Amino acid sequence: MACRKLCRRKLVTAAVQRACLSSQAVRPAEGHCVTSVATRQHSHSGSGRGTGNRSSGPGLLLSIAPIPLIAAAASAQDGGDKKELTEKECRQLIAKADGMHSRCDYHREYQLLMQFHESKNPEIMWRLARATLLCRDMEKKDAHFEQCTRQACRIATAAKNVAPENAQCQLWFGIALNHMQPYRATHLKVADIGTIHNAFMESIKLNA
């Protein structure tokens, strides 16, 4: 347990450092597009796609085949209304998703959780936001990459609003909002600096 808390704190600390560095890149000039340090930090070495430097998600470099994230999202939305899962079903779903995550099977984790994208269970919501961010780099089209980033931020924001006392909801909200910076207007980026910082600090406090 102590080891898991230490690893989680290191992840949050690293994310805070990236957010702080990203905030230094913000300029007051209107209309100037600033790419966050977190987004420029990693590149796909040897990927051969020629799409430039992209973040590999929160500190992880994926090595799985390209996946149709947007198609999976559309398929899940066409599935109609689903009844809310029972507590037992939620536990089983989360255990299955965590198993996939531990095996770095982020594509299947995303597809599994996306079937329950309308759930208000924060444990499902923050895991779906995480899976979306981890999978988004496998999108070949820049438009899909941006759409996945926005989708992850919407889910993470909803999760944080549902359960602000949940450390993981705060953490992934901060990470998702940080990855949104290349697509935000300058005045919003300035406001986001404090929001991202507060989310990370709240996650650390809740994990203490």
Side-chain angles (χ1 to χ4, degrees):
M1 181 66 70
C3 181
R4 290 177 61 187
K5 283 191 174 182
L6 178 61
C7 292
R8 189 178 295 166
R9 179 161 295 188
K10 286 182 179 179
L11 173 63
V12 176
T13 302
V16 171
Q17 291 174 346
R18 290 199 301 271
C20 292
L21 289 173
S22 177
S23 68
Q24 295 173 4
V26 176
R27 296 289 183 271
E30 193 66 36
H32 180 63
C33 180
V34 182
T35 304
S36 67
V37 172
T39 304
R40 291 184 284 109
Q41 214 166 15
H42 303 288
S43 64
H44 289 290
S45 58
S47 63
R49 289 217 306 267
T51 54
N53 289 353
R54 281 182 177 173
S55 167
S56 59
L60 296 175
L61 184 63
L62 305 184
S63 58
I64 57 179
I67 58 174
L69 277 185
I70 304 305
S75 176
Q77 290 171 355
D78 291 340
D81 294 335
K82 296 179 179 292
K83 65 178 182 179
E84 191 68 21
L85 295 172
T86 65
E87 186 176 344
K88 181 180 179 180
E89 289 172 335
C90 282
R91 288 197 302 267
Q92 292 173 340
L93 174 65
I94 290 170
K96 189 173 183 178
D98 286 347
M100 293 174 179
H101 186 80
S102 66
R103 296 189 299 272
C104 299
D105 196 351
Y106 306 127
H107 178 202
R108 290 184 62 199
E109 180 190 8
Y110 172 86
Q111 290 185 322
L112 172 67
L113 294 174
M114 196 62 202
Q115 298 176 58
F116 306 95
H117 67 283
E118 294 181 351
S119 172
K120 298 304 180 184
N121 186 308
E123 294 297 324
I124 294 176
M125 297 169 76
W126 74 255
R127 283 174 170 83
L128 177 55
R130 177 184 67 181
T132 306
L133 285 175
L134 290 173
C135 287
R136 66 181 185 146
D137 277 348
M138 308 319 295
E139 286 294 327
K140 292 183 178 180
K141 297 182 179 180
D142 290 340
H144 288 181
F145 182 86
E146 178 181 347
Q147 187 172 343
C148 290
T149 305
R150 293 184 180 277
Q151 175 182 298
C153 193
R154 284 195 299 270
I155 297 169
T157 300
K160 190 263 297 183
N161 291 338
V162 168
E165 73 288 349
N166 187 305
Q168 291 298 314
C169 290
Q170 292 285 353
L171 172 63
W172 287 98
F173 166 69
I175 292 173
L177 184 57
N178 192 43
H179 281 298
M180 270 294 298
Q181 295 311 291
Y183 314 112
R184 303 276 279 178
T186 302
H187 70 283
L188 294 177
K189 292 179 182 180
V190 174
D192 287 344
I193 294 172
T195 304
I196 295 169
H197 175 79
N198 290 340
F200 289 141
M201 291 300 102
E202 186 65 18
S203 178
I204 292 174
K205 183 175 73 174
L206 291 168
N207 269 321

